[in-house]
Amino acid sequence: MDYYDSEDNENLEIELLLEAINAKYGYDFKSYARASIKRRIRHRMSIAGIKKITEIIERVIYDRAFFIELLGDFSISTTEMFRDPDFFQAMRKDVFPALQCLPFIKVWVAGCSTGEEVYSIGIMLKEENLYDKAMIYATDYSDKSLSAAKEGVFSIKSVKKYAANYTDAGGIQSFSNYFTAKADSAVIDPSLRQNMVFSIHNLASDGVFGEMNIILCRNVLIYFNRGLQNKVFGLFTESLEDGGYLCLGSKETIRLSNFSDNYDEVLKDEKIYRRNIRPVSYSQKINGNTAVTPEFVTKGGELIRDMKSKIDELDCLIRGESGKDSV
Amino acid sequence: MRRYEAVVIGASAGGLDALKALFTGLPDDFPLPIAAVLHLHRNTKDELITLMQRDIRLTVKYAQDKEKIKKGVLYIAPPDYHLLVEDDKTFSLSVDEHVNYSRPSIDVLFESAADAFRGHIIGIILTGANKDGSMGLKRIKARGGTAIVENPRSAQFPDMPLAAISETEVDYILDVNEITCKIDELVGAL
């Protein structure tokens, strides 16, 4: 077989397939990292006994059930509860204390897949007594993944693995308390779902999801190309409150994007970033006044930040929680 | 166009020693990029790189997502992520399911690299106790690349070299130190 001559054709065919999927069904995979997409297409071809991508295009257009299968292939990614225990430990130790004084905590788990991270963060919020004032928005483009996430049913085998992660992440309960056994599955404690909203949202094509205090999007952006990564970082930057936290996967970074300047590092290794205060660019935009020097703007930002933390402190004092937090 | 644009390597059990042996002889101005999958435990720390760097003259680093691939660097697939090469010669990482019970998987790197470099590539399978890499090496060969396998008789674990040899008509079966010389010869580094 002469792979060499067929290479350009194959790339062209993939381009056309993704175009067809977008035109027909409105799912945009054109800006996904191509090598993974290619692997998944080939995987489907070998299962379905299809020789050419062109044939897949035809099937996708005329056979909805086949498309749903392919969509399933595209959305598979593996996740675990408390994957990277160090990250979750850091959230508990370095991020949650700063949330104690907020009246309300909005968390967005973007690209939540089958929900493992949604429940992980839910469990931690509960253990730190923050759950009751929290709302967790879990989104994914895949209907199928989202339904699975909502159900919260896991295999006993994976829950055993998660239990080890949970302990490493500084879990303070018996992990099995969060599940009830049903046949050979473990069903998540439904009370964890009380403050959770599951909804369809496609990072590649949908808009801002507003005023979040935490955005968790781990090991999703590696599937996007640079352009789409940048766009999504823009989306997150717009969706985060000032001082809100952005949490990425351990091999992801905001530093190579156009939005790097909008974030301070909370913990470098754990990829936890904090959205800095906004008035800088806003005042520039509103006035369009070049007389506003960068120094002036920086100073202003600092003053506002100071003031904000003083107000938080006062708030804590009023509620008699002083000494507990050093916000 | 030059015959080769990159070298990819797969190694499993015993692989760290084999990699060191292979690279000790390679100069720091090696004219191609090299990407390697080592089957590392998922909790392997970054110190591994420091440790490897002690014995290897080329720059050694974990491959980063979307990083532009440069010559004279030995990129290691980070633990618990698949490493793929894109057509624009950048890396991508993925957390797709394990392939051959492995993540990173050698097949995943080799197959994507064979495509991205259009066969202008040398694929090397070293010691290991599984079958990962045999399909990837097959693709490299089919695309017109060169396939080298460590001699199963001298390899610390022969299974992976044997699996590669039975799957593909490989170009060279060599001891590790001979592989270094062969790379030099093929690439004309010295």
Side-chain angles (χ1 to χ4, degrees), chain B residues 110 123 125 133-141 147 149 164 168 170:
Chain B
F110 278 24
I125 295 289
S134 58
M135 297 315 288
L137 199 68
K138 189 178 184 178
R139 168 114 63 199
I140 288 177
K141 216 25 220 167
V149 173
T168 309
V170 303

Side-chain angles (χ1 to χ4, degrees), chain A residues 1 3-4 7-8 11 33-36 38-40 42 76-78 80 83 86 161 219 221-226 229 250-251, chain B residues 42 45-46 62 65-66 78 80-81 84-87 92-97 99 103 107-108 111-112 115 118 120 139 142-143:
Chain A
M1 199 179 348
Y3 278 95
Y4 187 74
E7 177 66 15
D8 287 332
N11 286 338
R34 204 45 74 80
S36 275
K38 207 189 241 182
R39 270 198 80 79
R40 287 161 188 212
R42 283 194 182 133
I76 290 170
S77 72
T78 59
E80 296 164 22
R83 180 187 160 114
D86 290 351
K161 186 164 152 195
N219 296 315
L221 293 162
I222 46 176
Y223 287 99
F224 299 166
N225 70 17
R226 258 293 171 71
Q229 283 185 352
S250 64
K251 300 296 169 196
Chain B
R42 62 185 301 193
K45 298 287 178 219
D46 293 355
Y62 280 133
D65 184 52
K66 305 293 170 284
D80 215 19
Y81 286 84
L84 301 98
V85 181
E86 299 287 344
D87 281 350
S92 281
L93 300 177
S94 101
V95 287
D96 280 10
E97 61 268 59
V99 175
R103 189 172 64 201
D107 277 346
V108 172
E111 288 174 14
S112 65
D115 285 352
R118 306 182 158 220
H120 297 280
R139 168 114 63 199
R143 304 275 330 237

Side-chain angles (χ1 to χ4, degrees), chain B residues 42-174:
Chain B
R42 62 185 301 193
N43 293 334
T44 307
K45 298 287 178 219
D46 293 355
E47 284 79 55
L48 175 87
I49 297 294
T50 323
L51 225 70
M52 289 179 76
Q53 189 70 75
R54 270 188 217 157
D55 300 298
I56 295 174
R57 280 189 278 169
L58 289 165
T59 304
V60 187
K61 67 189 294 273
Y62 280 133
Q64 277 182 293
D65 184 52
K66 305 293 170 284
E67 179 171 13
K68 190 102 195 132
I69 300 173
K70 291 202 203 95
K71 64 177 185 179
V73 180
L74 168 58
Y75 297 97
I76 308 290
D80 215 19
Y81 286 84
H82 289 305
L83 177 63
L84 301 98
V85 181
E86 299 287 344
D87 281 350
D88 64 358
K89 314 295 175 346
T90 58
F91 287 119
S92 281
L93 300 177
S94 101
V95 287
D96 280 10
E97 61 268 59
H98 291 56
V99 175
N100 307 315
Y101 309 100
S102 308
R103 189 172 64 201
S105 147
I106 302 165
D107 277 346
V108 172
L109 171 66
F110 278 24
E111 288 174 14
S112 65
D115 285 352
F117 290 105
R118 306 182 158 220
H120 297 280
I121 191 168
I122 300 170
I124 303 170
I125 295 289
L126 299 173
T127 166
N130 57 68
K131 291 184 170 163
D132 194 18
S134 58
M135 297 315 288
L137 199 68
K138 189 178 184 178
R139 168 114 63 199
I140 288 177
K141 216 25 220 167
R143 304 275 330 237
T146 298
I148 304 177
V149 173
E150 184 180 359
N151 185 352
R153 288 206 196 92
S154 56
Q156 208 175 333
F157 294 86
D159 305 36
M160 212 161 78
L162 284 171
I165 292 164
S166 75
E167 190 65 47
T168 309
E169 188 123 340
V170 303
D171 297 287
Y172 306 100
I173 299 171
L174 302 166

Side-chain angles (χ1 to χ4, degrees), chain A residues 281-293:
Chain A
S281 59
Y282 270 44
S283 64
Q284 276 170 338
K285 258 188 217 156
I286 292 161
N287 298 328
N289 184 355
T290 47
V292 179
T293 63

Side-chain angles (χ1 to χ4, degrees), chain A residues 95-324:
Chain A
V95 173
F96 284 8
L99 306 176
Q100 295 288 352
C101 290
L102 291 177
F104 197 69
I105 304 166
K106 286 171 83 177
V107 183
W108 178 16
V109 184
C112 70
S113 189
T114 38
E116 285 79 351
E117 301 234 312
V118 186
Y119 292 113
S120 307
I121 200 89
I123 286 172
M124 282 204 321
L125 287 166
K126 196 152 216 169
E127 291 180 0
E128 300 300 315
N129 296 319
L130 293 168
Y131 188 87
D132 289 341
K133 59 173 178 173
M135 185 54 83
I136 303 173
Y137 301 86
T139 65
D140 201 275
Y141 76 79
S142 160
D143 231 343
K144 207 172 147 196
S145 298
L146 213 56
S147 316
K150 237 182 282 184
E151 271 176 29
V153 178
F154 305 96
S155 77
I156 299 276
K157 195 176 146 220
S158 31
V159 169
K160 275 186 186 151
K161 186 164 152 195
Y162 303 162
N165 286 352
Y166 168 77
T167 309
D168 291 344
I172 51 177
Q173 301 282 330
S174 167
F175 191 58
S176 58
N177 289 350
Y178 294 109
F179 297 90
T180 46
K182 191 177 168 191
D184 51 358
S185 312
V187 186
I188 198 93
D189 174 1
S191 78
L192 279 169
R193 236 177 343 247
Q194 210 159 19
N195 296 349
M196 288 177 183
V197 180
F198 294 85
S199 59
I200 294 279
H201 181 279
N202 192 337
L203 288 169
S205 48
D206 292 336
V208 170
F209 218 77
E211 294 166 358
M212 295 294 154
N213 302 104
I214 300 176
I215 295 178
L216 213 76
C217 184
R218 305 176 67 236
N219 296 315
V220 174
L221 293 162
I222 46 176
Y223 287 99
F224 299 166
N225 70 17
R226 258 293 171 71
L228 182 54
Q229 283 185 352
N230 221 7
K231 188 180 143 191
V232 173
F233 280 133
L235 184 67
F236 289 163
T237 305
E238 281 298 305
S239 304
L240 269 177
E241 283 273 332
D242 287 354
Y245 295 89
L246 175 63
C247 310
L248 304 177
S250 64
K251 300 296 169 196
E252 294 166 328
T253 175
I254 192 141
R255 292 302 171 219
L256 300 172
S257 79
N258 296 350
F259 299 90
S260 182
D261 291 346
N262 295 97
Y263 293 87
D264 300 319
E265 225 132 70
V266 177
L267 283 164
K268 188 162 180 280
D269 286 346
E270 308 310 335
K271 300 298 161 64
I272 302 174
Y273 302 97
R274 192 162 192 198
R275 174 84 170 88
N276 50 30
I277 309 291
R278 214 167 304 218
V280 180
S281 59
Y282 270 44
S283 64
Q284 276 170 338
K285 258 188 217 156
I286 292 161
N287 298 328
N289 184 355
T290 47
V292 179
T293 63
E295 291 76 23
F296 174 85
V297 169
T298 314
K299 189 75 196 156
E302 273 167 20
L303 284 173
I304 289 167
R305 206 169 317 174
D306 283 353
M307 207 148 70
K308 224 178 156 208
S309 80
K310 288 259 157 49
I311 292 169
D312 285 345
E313 242 171 70
L314 270 173
D315 197 36
C316 268
L317 276 172
I318 292 163
R319 295 184 201 197
E321 294 172 6
S322 65
K324 195 169 141 199

